[in-house]
Amino acid sequence: MNIINIIKGIELLAVELLLWIIYIPKTLYKIIKDPAWAPQYIKEQLAAEVKFKTYMSPILLFLAISVVLFVLLDSGLIVAPKYDESGGSFGQRLQGPAGLLFLALPLLFGLVIELFRKGGIKRDNILQSLYVQCYFFSPLMLSFFAYMLAEQFDWENVTEDTYLAMVPLFMFLLTLLWFIVIQVNYISRELKYNKLVSLGLHFICYVIIGFGFLIYLVLTPTVVDNYGSGEMERVT
């Protein structure tokens, strides 16, 4: 193995990671400011020879935000997890395979929408829908993991202002509202439904995906730290 090629590969990786510092905020700002831009931009980029040079690739953006933050939060590298006394909090349930399934939401959401598209399911439509959902989910996942991270801090030792501790939750709920609005608009444009029907289809997505997660989380035992004592136990 040529050591020079390894060094060049590391150099290219370092440059790419540095560019992420610029392209992640730039892409997130564009999505939040003009969400209707995303579907058309993705159509143009999928047909282009050189793809996603102006903004970050949807898959890379989603992976950079969701997977990296999930790994850091799940491993305790950012902050030690604060365990619920019952041993089965939502955050603990999302550890391991359940968390990875949680990160597959863009694909699941896109597939549900494609089931209602006239003409049947096509590979190109699924790919485009997946890319769009990765763009739409990225701000939501960022606010969600920011809220999950904030839940691990002991706010009583930081500030006596209880309203400050509610800021991450407020930002997540605000982002969730934004997410619902843009999804309804997207469904309405793509499937030619009115807004009311699009809203109903949007909540059907929640019901189907939520029901699947509920079954998974209930039936899958989770190994957790017994009240932070270092003794592991299985929670069913």
Side-chain angles (χ1 to χ4, degrees):
M1 184 176 294
N2 194 330
I3 188 66
I4 301 299
N5 291 335
I6 296 177
I7 294 175
K8 288 182 178 179
I10 295 175
E11 179 184 5
L12 291 175
L13 177 61
V15 172
E16 187 68 23
L17 292 177
L18 288 174
L19 289 176
W20 282 15
I21 299 176
I22 299 175
Y23 278 97
I24 288 178
K26 177 185 178 182
T27 308
L28 285 174
Y29 175 76
K30 184 66 175 179
I31 296 169
I32 295 172
K33 180 183 177 183
D34 186 16
W37 153 88
Q40 184 60 36
Y41 175 72
I42 289 173
K43 288 181 182 180
E44 296 172 355
Q45 294 304 303
L46 289 178
E49 184 176 348
V50 181
K51 299 176 174 58
F52 302 109
K53 286 296 183 180
T54 306
Y55 294 93
M56 199 163 184
S57 163
I59 300 296
L60 284 180
L61 179 66
F62 184 74
L63 290 176
I65 290 177
S66 302
V67 175
V68 172
L69 289 177
F70 172 79
V71 170
L72 291 176
L73 185 62
D74 184 53
S75 64
L77 293 177
I78 299 179
V79 62
K82 183 172 64 176
Y83 288 93
D84 184 81
E85 291 184 356
S86 63
S89 67
F90 181 68
Q92 289 165 255
R93 291 282 187 169
L94 283 181
Q95 294 181 0
L100 296 178
L101 183 62
F102 182 72
L103 296 177
L105 279 175
L107 177 60
L108 298 175
F109 222 87
L111 284 175
V112 171
I113 294 176
E114 288 303 315
L115 287 174
F116 290 85
R117 188 185 294 274
K118 295 179 180 179
I121 298 178
K122 299 179 181 179
R123 181 183 181 278
D124 291 342
N125 289 339
I126 293 177
L127 183 61
Q128 179 182 323
S129 184
L130 170 63
Y131 278 26
V132 170
Q133 293 302 323
C134 282
Y135 266 162
F136 287 169
F137 266 92
S138 291
L140 180 67
M141 297 298 282
L142 180 62
S143 65
F144 172 75
F145 280 109
Y147 165 67
M148 293 291 292
L149 179 61
E151 284 290 289
Q152 309 301 328
F153 286 101
D154 187 0
W155 289 98
E156 294 180 358
N157 294 331
V158 177
T159 177
E160 295 181 356
D161 190 355
T162 57
Y163 293 103
L164 182 62
M166 297 295 294
V167 170
L169 176 60
F170 174 77
M171 293 302 297
F172 170 67
L173 293 177
L174 187 63
T175 308
L176 179 61
L177 177 61
W178 168 87
F179 177 79
I180 293 174
V181 171
I182 66 169
Q183 287 285 2
V184 170
N185 291 335
Y186 173 70
I187 294 172
S188 179
R189 289 193 306 269
E190 290 293 313
L191 304 183
K192 309 301 181 184
Y193 292 164
N194 61 48
K195 295 296 177 64
L196 185 60
V197 174
S198 299
L199 180 62
L201 177 56
H202 178 74
F203 282 106
I204 288 176
C205 294
Y206 282 123
V207 171
I208 295 175
I209 295 173
F211 186 70
F213 272 107
L214 180 62
I215 294 176
Y216 184 89
L217 296 179
V218 168
L219 298 181
T220 304
T222 305
V223 178
V224 300
D225 189 340
N226 186 18
Y227 312 129
S229 63
E231 298 180 1
M232 305 306 293
E233 64 176 3
R234 294 173 69 86
V235 177
T236 58

